[in-house]
Each structure stands twice: as structure tokens, then as C-alpha cells.
């Protein structure tokens, strides 16, 4: 199995050189890398979740710094961190439940019952906190028997009790990693198939005789529109070509191949068509203060020879007289977004805070490792 750091460095190079395109591919490969990190991470007897969290954060910081504008990277890092916290809490809660059952059934000997409590006060407090909030989607999907996580105690003292506790810790450590990896596998599967769940909702959002404008090429958009056609919806799609890479040409060909009424237009024609459009209306960020955009190479607009003709060699500085601005993305102001269509359904913008609370932990909104002693 390749060394973890080799995998991390290879992925960092791909992110820095922009060799991975598309949020879905980026999210999937990020989750697969973090799965490898967790799988190869050695977990101590104590604070197993903390060790996994520190390992994921250490890698996550590097990944986010490599391509800050690709938000899928940071979101997957935060999602995996949330999974670790949820799985650890689930095991702790199950263990406490098992101890409570043992205490109730063995009430004849209070001394023995007190000696059975091997969980820390912090673990008990964590389990208590879990009752104050609704379970996450991952917790609801979890189907782990309680007995699998209940520490087993020995009636004999001395060495046998110590060996039992050591075995329990080792078993719980392996189970935590196993459960986290299984949950990450489910996350990867959700990423791969999310477009299918989104496409199933198309008939609820696209109605007869609507005019839809889209830009560039997206598999999710393609499947969404095709699903609406399969449900006998009649509508027309305008596709802006998305110069200079002309990704819109690819989408238009795919739509026509699937029998959708499609019109390919130049980017400048968007303003002439916008009054007829019912959905998907991106705006170009003319404001230079708009963040979260990536400026691509000028070579996509001009070759080197043409650009060199625009250099001011007469002044001696050789500074260009022509500046080429090639942003990678269009920008949709938040106030213009009326609905987020996700694999879990359509949600109003006002509901997004709840989704964020379900899928991310407040402790991980800023991905940063804990300061070590002496720093």
C-alpha cells in the first residue's frame, strides 16, 4: 500500500496545478484520500477520535491551502471530521447504555457496580449532550448493535481485569476506525450517485413550456434536464457557450443527443435572451471585489505571440499594455438564489443553517490543528 504522505503529495500537486476539474471529482478524490489517511493512521488506546481528527485536520489544512477556491475540498474535510465525531459519540453512548443496563441488573452489589464504570466524566458528558440535539442523518442510518460496543468486564481481579480493559480499548479502537471508514465509504457512494437523487426531483421544479438558461457543462444539470423530459415535460433550454473553453458546446450536443430542444448562444447574447428565461440566470462578476473566483491563464484567449506584441518594450520596463482577465466562474449573488436542490431534496436558503448543522460540526468550521504544547 502506498505511503500516506506520497498519496497526499500527489493529490496536492494535482490541486495546485488544477489537474482535477469539477466539484464532484474533487469531492470524491478528497474523500478517498482521507479514507486512506484514516485507514493507515495508528490510533492510541486513549483519545482515539482526537488522534483521527488531528490526522485529518493536518492533511485538510494542506489540501485547502493548495486550492482555496475549490470549496468542495474544505467541505469534504469538514464532513469527514463530523463523521469521526459522530461515530465516536455513537460508540460512547452505546457503551454508557450497556453499563447502565449492567448496573440495573446487578443491583445486589453496589461495590461491584461502581467498579464497572470505566468511562470518563468527559465521555458521560458527551453522551448527555447528544440527547439535547436531534440525531444526524449518519446516526439515523447507523445500524450497529449496542452490544458490539459495550465494554466487557471480568469478575476476576488483578491481571485478568487489566487484560480485559486493554482488550476492550483495543477492540473499541478498531471498531471506531472501522465505523468511520464505513461511513466515509457511504459518503463516497453518495458523492458518486448524488446526481441521480437530484435528477429524481426534476419533475417537481420544471414545468410545461418553461425556458431555462444554463452555462457551461455539468453532468448534474444534464441528468436533471433529461429526467424532466422523461416525465413528459416540454421546455426549451438555452446554453451559453462559455468562452473561451466552450464547455457549453459539449452540453448542447449532449442535450440534443437526448432529444431536448436546445439553443446554443454566444455569451454576449445572454442579455438579449434573459427576459424570456424562467430559471438559472448567472451574472458575471464585474465587481473586482467579488471573491472566490479563479483567474485562468491568458493563453486561453491569446497565444504567446499575440500577447508579446502588446508589451511596451519602448519604455524599457516591458510591462504589458494589454491586460487579459479570464475568470473561471460566473457569480450568482445569494439574494438571487431561491432554492437549493440537493440529493436530500429542495431547500429554501433559510433552511441551509440546519443542513450545515447536520453535516458539519461547529468545531470544524475553521480547519486548524490544535496547538501543541510549547507553541
Amino acid at each position: 500500500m502506498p505511503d500516506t504522505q506520497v498519496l497526499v503529495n500527489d493529490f496536492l500537486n494535482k490541486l495546485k496545478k488544477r489537474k482535477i476539474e469539477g466539484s464532484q471529482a474533487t469531492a470524491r478524490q478528497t474523500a478517498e484520500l482521507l479514507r486512506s489517511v484514516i485507514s493507515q493512521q495508528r490510533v492510541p488506546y486513549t483519545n482515539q477520535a482526537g488522534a483521527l481528527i488531528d490526522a485529518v485536520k493536518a492533511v485538510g489544512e494542506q489540501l485547502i491551502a493548495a486550492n482555496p477556491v475549490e470549496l468542495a475540498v474544505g467541505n469534504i474535510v469538514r464532513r469527514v471530521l463530523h463523521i469521526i465525531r459522530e461515530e465516536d459519540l455513537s460508540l460512547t453512548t452505546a457503551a454508557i447504555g450497556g453499563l447502565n443496563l449492567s448496573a440495573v441488573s446487578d443491583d445486589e452489589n453496589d461495590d461491584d457496580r461502581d467498579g464497572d464504570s470505566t468511562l470518563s466524566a468527559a465521555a458521560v458528558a458527551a453522551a448527555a449532550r447528544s440527547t439535547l440535539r436531534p440525531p444526524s442523518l449518519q446516526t439515523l442510518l447507523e445500524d450497529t448493535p449496542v452490544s458490539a460496543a459495550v465494554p466487557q468486564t471480568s469478575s476476576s481481579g488483578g491481571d485478568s481485569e487489566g487484560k480485559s480493559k486493554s482488550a476492550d480499548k483495543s477492540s473499541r479502537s478498531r471498531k471506531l476506525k472501522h465505523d468511520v471508514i464505513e461511513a466515509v465509504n457511504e459518503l463516497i457512494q453518495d458523492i458518486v450517485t448524488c446526481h441521480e437523487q437530484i435528477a429524481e426531483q426534476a419533475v417537481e421544479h420544471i414545468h410545461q413550456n418553461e425556458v431555462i438558461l444554463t452555462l457551461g457543462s455539468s453532468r448534474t444539470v444534464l441528468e436533471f434536464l433529461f429526467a424532466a423530459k422523461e416525465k413528459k415535460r416540454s421546455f426549451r433550454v438555452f446554453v451559453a457557450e462559455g468562452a473561451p473553453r466552450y464547455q457549453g458546446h459539449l452540453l448542447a450536443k449532449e442535450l440534443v443527443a437526448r432529444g431536448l430542444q436546445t439553443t446554443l448562444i454566444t455569451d454576449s447574447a445572454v442579455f438579449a435572451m434573459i427576459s424570456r428565461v424562467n430559471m438559472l440566470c448567472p451574472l458575471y462578476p464585474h465587481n473586482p471585489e467579488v471573491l472566490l473566483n479563479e483567474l485562468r491563464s491568458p493563453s486561453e484567449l491569446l497565444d504567446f505571440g499575440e500577447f508579446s506584441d502588446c508589451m511596451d518594450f519602448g519604455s524599457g520596463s516591458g510591462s504589458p499594455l494589454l491586460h487579459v482577465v479570464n475568470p473561471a466562474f460566473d457569480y450568482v449573488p445569494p439574494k438571487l438564489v431561491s432554492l437549493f436542490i440537493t440529493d436530500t431534496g429542495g431547500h429554501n436558503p433559510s433552511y441551509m443553517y440546519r443542513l450545515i448543522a447536520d453535516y458539519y460540526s461547529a468545531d470544524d468550521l475553521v480547519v486548524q490543528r490544535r496547538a501543541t504544547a510549547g507553541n
Side-chain angles (χ1 to χ4, degrees):
M1 181 178 292
D3 181 69
T4 302
Q5 194 55 49
V6 173
L7 296 175
V8 172
N9 290 339
D10 181 61
F11 193 64
L12 286 173
N13 288 331
K14 290 180 180 179
L15 289 175
K16 291 177 180 178
K17 296 178 180 180
R18 306 306 192 256
K19 290 187 175 181
I20 306 175
E21 293 190 354
S23 296
Q24 186 183 46
T26 304
R28 177 179 55 80
Q29 294 186 42
T30 301
E32 291 172 347
L33 175 65
L34 295 180
R35 179 181 60 186
S36 297
V37 171
I38 294 170
S39 176
Q40 299 186 34
Q41 177 66 26
R42 298 191 64 177
V43 181
Y45 282 157
T46 60
N47 194 22
Q48 295 103 359
L52 292 180
I53 288 173
D54 286 344
V56 171
K57 281 190 174 183
V59 175
E61 282 187 83
Q62 300 177 64
L63 300 183
I64 294 172
N67 190 351
V69 299
E70 181 49 83
L71 302 182
V73 174
N75 287 342
I76 293 299
V77 172
R78 296 179 182 93
R79 183 75 184 99
V80 171
L81 290 171
H82 185 67
I83 286 174
I84 296 172
R85 298 181 189 277
E86 287 291 311
E87 295 300 336
D88 182 56
L89 184 60
S90 176
L91 287 177
T92 301
T93 305
I96 292 176
L99 288 175
N100 288 340
L101 290 175
S102 176
V104 171
S105 62
D106 191 23
D107 57 357
E108 296 179 359
N109 191 334
D110 291 338
D111 293 337
D112 291 343
R113 183 180 62 206
D114 292 338
D116 285 344
S117 180
T118 59
L119 296 175
S120 66
V124 176
R129 286 196 301 271
S130 70
T131 63
L132 301 179
R133 62 179 178 179
S136 69
L137 179 61
Q138 183 61 43
T139 302
L140 292 175
L141 293 175
E142 185 69 29
D143 191 24
T144 303
V146 172
S147 60
V150 177
Q152 301 295 323
T153 58
S154 173
S155 58
S156 61
D159 293 340
S160 61
E161 182 178 357
K163 291 179 180 179
S164 176
K165 290 182 179 180
S166 177
D168 291 341
K169 290 178 180 179
S170 177
S171 175
R172 188 177 187 278
S173 172
R174 291 194 300 271
K175 178 161 180 55
L176 177 61
K177 282 184 61 173
H178 174 270
D179 289 353
V180 169
I181 291 173
E182 285 298 309
V184 174
N185 286 336
E186 292 180 8
L187 172 63
I188 294 171
Q189 184 63 24
D190 289 342
I191 294 171
V192 172
T193 61
C194 67
H195 65 279
E196 298 175 2
Q197 282 72 40
I198 293 176
E200 290 176 357
Q201 307 167 51
V203 70
E204 303 174 12
H205 303 289
I206 297 180
H207 308 290
Q208 287 293 110
N209 301 321
E210 287 197 310
V211 178
I212 300 172
L213 171 67
T214 188
L215 172 67
S217 179
S218 165
R219 181 184 179 187
T220 301
V221 172
L222 171 65
E223 298 297 339
F224 189 81
L225 296 175
F226 180 65
K229 177 185 178 297
E230 288 290 282
K231 297 297 183 179
K232 309 303 181 183
R233 291 287 192 261
S234 177
F235 56 93
R236 190 169 189 85
V237 183
F238 285 87
V239 182
E241 62 181 2
R245 304 181 69 200
Y246 302 107
Q247 295 292 305
H249 292 188
L250 301 178
L251 179 63
K253 291 178 181 178
E254 289 278 359
L255 292 173
V256 171
R258 298 200 184 192
L260 278 78
Q261 299 184 54
T262 307
T263 301
L264 181 68
I265 62 175
T266 62
D267 297 332
S268 60
V270 168
F271 296 97
M273 305 301 303
I274 200 67
S275 61
R276 299 175 53 187
V277 169
N278 304 114
M279 295 183 179
L280 302 175
C281 309
L283 297 179
Y284 180 81
H286 294 285
N287 186 349
E289 296 180 358
V290 171
L291 302 178
L292 296 178
N293 211 328
E294 179 181 351
L295 296 180
R296 298 183 62 87
S297 171
S299 64
E300 294 181 345
L301 300 176
L302 294 174
D303 62 32
F304 179 76
E306 293 174 312
F307 188 75
S308 62
D309 291 338
C310 302
M311 304 291 285
D312 185 12
F313 294 104
S315 63
S317 63
S319 59
L321 299 174
L322 175 67
H323 295 274
V324 179
V325 180
N326 184 18
F329 308 109
D330 279 358
Y331 174 70
V332 181
K335 65 181 180 180
L336 296 183
V337 178
S338 58
L339 187 70
F340 289 93
I341 302 177
T342 74
D343 57 334
T344 62
H347 304 291
N348 292 324
S350 60
Y351 186 76
M352 296 308 294
Y353 80 95
R354 178 55 193 268
L355 287 182
I356 292 175
D358 281 346
Y359 287 99
Y360 306 103
S361 170
D363 296 332
D364 304 322
L365 295 183
V366 176
V367 179
Q368 187 175 8
R369 286 170 291 181
R370 294 176 296 179
T372 56
N375 289 344

